[in-house]
Structure formats: structure tokens, C-alpha cells
Amino acid sequence: MKRLIFTIFLALAIAIPYSHAKLNAINGKVKDGYNFWLYEPETKHEPELNATIDSTAINDSTGLIIDTISHKKPLVIFLHGRSLCGNNLNKVLRYGTIAAVKGGRKIDAYIVAPQNPGSFWKPEKIMNVVDWVSERHPIDSTRIYVLGMSLGGYGTIDLVATYPHRIAAAMALCGGGSRKDLSGLNEVPLWIIHGTADRAVSVNESRKVKNKMKEAGETPLLRYDEWTGVNHGALARLFYLDKTYQWLFKHTLNNRTVDKSITITQSDTKNAYKGFKHRSSSKNKSKAKKKSKRSTKKK
């Protein structure tokens, strides 16, 4: 009996091959776009016969709506802050969504992490990257998400305000908005979080966004939190929380409501790096360097 079960399992594994996750640097490929990192999640390839069948289901553990036949997957856009601007893509790996994946967080989605050479993010350039990726990969166009902090928080607000019909949900951390017309934000599930002790970007910048949204009309899709006593850098921890992506994945263009069942608090961020391999290895390297310097001095 065991032998029969093993044979069946082996046959299924051969019949339904998987492709491994990939991370590629894309340079100079997108006209009027940014250079970017592209993370491709592991995918399962069904026989060609089933490719035209459309079927979806909800994963109870994550809330993610998954395409069970054609295997189209969500797309997450990560927008970094000013410290990672430049022309060296490796800088973009220092923190954020792809850094979280490299460290062991499981995010079953395509991830685009563009690099801003400087100045404000340009929504048109970001969307050109999204279109380029969508033309070449099985992206579910109803599940495109964006999140960013600091300068990336501004980019998130500006992107959503410019393309509200393309973004399923967004999270803007310690940022603001640079566009005059922010009325489009009222059409998208949006979560804004800002620390009151932020000296790099004042919490007033997020308050201005909230006020502009209210001036434009009702804001039923807005979640707005101010974290008392929290500084600028602390919010980077949210990129490593499972809850962050669970909340994003609760939304789709087919159902314009905001999820309020998932909560993220300051206490959640204390465990953001729990089990995070990449961060711990970086810490170990740093400690090793310090020990090496001490031993050299003693010699």
C-alpha cells in the first residue's frame, strides 16, 4: 500500500512540475521606467488543457484569493525611501519587501522593487514597470498592491491617487503626498501609519493627506493610525510582518471594501524580525567584524 501511494505521489510530481522562485535585477529594459528588482514566486504549471479554465479560492490562513487553475498571482510594489536612492540596485535590498523574502518571509506574489535615482517618485514610470512585468508574467490585474515608507510613502500616495483603478490596496508609512489632486485615494483601500515622534518626515504630512481626502468627499476606505512616540525608522519593521501582506491580500478590485479585521500595533513590530535569517546573519557578520577589529587592536 505504501509503495502504491509513493508511486502515485511521484507520478503527480512529474505531471505537475514546479518552477523555483527567482530574483532578477532588471536594468534598462523599461522605456521611461525605473531599474528594478523582480521577485518571481514559485509557480506550478498545469497541463495546457486547463489553461483556459478560470477558478479561484480563498486561502483561510492568509486571506489571499488564489487562482487555482491559471495560477495568476498578485503583484506587490515596494517603494523605498530617500536613503536607497541612486544607481546601484543592491542598495534596494537593504530593507523592504524583497529583503523580507530573502530573510525567509513567505510572500506568494510577484514583487517589484524599483530604484529611484532621486527626487519624488513618478507614478507614470512605476506603472510602466508594472505593465512591462504584467506583459511577461501571469499577474492578476485585480490584485496589484503598493506599499512604501518615507519618500516611498509619498510615492505610494501619488501612485494610488494617479491610478486608483489599477491598485487594489495600499499602505503608506511615514510619508505624505506631492500631488495636488488626491481625490483618487478615496476609491482605494488605504492604510496610513505615521509616528508622532518622526523627525525626518513630520506626522503633519500624513495629516495633510487625510485632510485632503476628507475635503474631496467621504473616506470609508481609509485606515489612519498615528503611533504615539514612534520615530521614523521604526516603521520599516512593518515590511517584515506577515500581517502587512495578509491585510493587502484581503483586497481586490472586484470588491472595493476595506478590511478592518486585521490589526497591526506597535507591539507587533517588536517581533517583526523573529525568525528572520537575513537580518540575523547580517548581525552576526557585524559582530564578527567588531571582534576581528578588537583582536587586531590587541595584536
Side-chain angles (χ1 to χ4, degrees):
M1 184 66 180
K2 289 182 179 179
R3 191 171 183 178
L4 176 61
I5 293 173
F6 176 77
T7 303
I8 294 172
F9 176 81
L10 183 62
L12 286 171
I14 295 171
I16 308 174
Y18 285 80
S19 66
H20 296 292
K22 300 176 185 176
L23 179 61
N24 294 309
I26 311 296
N27 288 284
K29 296 288 186 180
V30 182
K31 184 179 179 181
D32 195 26
Y34 295 107
N35 293 332
F36 63 98
W37 285 103
L38 173 62
Y39 171 78
E40 302 175 35
E42 184 180 84
T43 56
K44 183 172 71 174
H45 299 291
E46 292 285 357
E48 194 67 30
L49 179 64
N50 293 333
T52 58
I53 301 175
D54 182 27
S55 178
T56 58
I58 295 179
N59 185 321
D60 291 332
S61 62
T62 64
L64 172 63
I65 302 171
I66 53 175
D67 190 324
T68 58
I69 298 297
S70 63
H71 302 292
K72 287 185 176 182
K73 299 208 176 206
L75 173 66
V76 175
I77 306 163
F78 162 69
L79 301 180
H80 64 72
R82 192 175 298 281
S83 65
L84 304 189
C85 287
N87 296 299
N88 179 1
L89 267 177
N90 287 327
K91 291 177 69 175
V92 182
L93 300 178
R94 290 180 184 173
Y95 73 83
T97 302
I98 287 184
V101 169
K102 284 173 67 67
R105 290 291 181 261
K106 294 186 182 297
I107 302 175
D108 191 25
Y110 287 87
I111 302 169
V112 162
Q115 183 175 36
N116 185 338
S119 73
F120 282 110
W121 286 97
K122 296 181 179 179
E124 298 79 9
K125 281 192 170 186
I126 299 171
M127 199 52 69
N128 286 340
V129 170
V130 170
D131 290 339
W132 187 92
V133 173
S134 298
E135 288 169 3
R136 291 162 176 78
H137 299 279
I139 304 298
D140 186 339
S141 61
T142 69
R143 294 180 292 154
I144 296 176
Y145 310 96
V146 58
L147 72 167
M149 72 171 285
S150 193
L151 182 64
Y154 280 86
T156 297
I157 292 298
D158 291 348
L159 180 67
V160 175
T162 307
Y163 298 100
H165 59 290
R166 300 284 303 273
I167 306 300
M171 185 178 286
L173 310 175
C174 54
S178 67
R179 299 256 157 160
K180 290 183 179 180
D181 183 6
L182 296 180
S183 59
L185 297 177
N186 292 351
E187 303 174 35
V188 181
L190 171 63
W191 198 343
I192 296 175
I193 302 175
H194 211 128
T196 60
D198 193 328
R199 294 184 178 180
V201 180
S202 171
V203 67
N204 288 328
E205 293 300 297
S206 284
R207 290 171 181 169
K208 288 176 185 176
V209 172
K210 181 180 67 171
N211 291 335
K212 281 189 176 182
M213 290 177 67
K214 288 184 175 180
E215 289 171 8
E218 297 295 321
T219 59
L221 302 181
L222 174 64
R223 291 186 68 172
Y224 182 88
D225 290 328
E226 290 184 10
W227 286 0
T228 304
V230 172
N231 62 23
H232 190 71
L235 294 188
R237 290 171 172 260
L238 273 79
F239 296 121
Y240 305 92
L241 289 175
D242 287 332
K243 279 186 175 183
T244 295
Y245 304 98
Q246 288 169 4
W247 181 80
L248 288 171
F249 293 154
K250 284 278 190 178
H251 304 91
T252 170
L253 289 181
N254 297 327
N255 183 16
R256 286 302 216 182
T257 57
V258 63
D259 176 78
K260 294 185 178 179
S261 65
I262 293 176
T263 59
I264 300 176
T265 64
Q266 296 178 46
S267 60
D268 288 318
T269 63
K270 294 177 182 178
N271 297 315
Y273 300 126
K274 188 176 181 180
F276 185 47
K277 294 177 286 186
H278 186 66
R279 181 176 170 80
S280 59
S281 64
S282 297
K283 278 186 173 181
N284 292 336
K285 286 180 182 178
S286 178
K287 287 179 182 178
K289 284 183 180 179
K290 287 180 180 178
K291 285 183 180 178
S292 177
K293 286 181 179 179
R294 289 196 199 108
S295 61
T296 303
K297 286 180 180 179
K298 287 178 181 179
K299 289 178 181 178

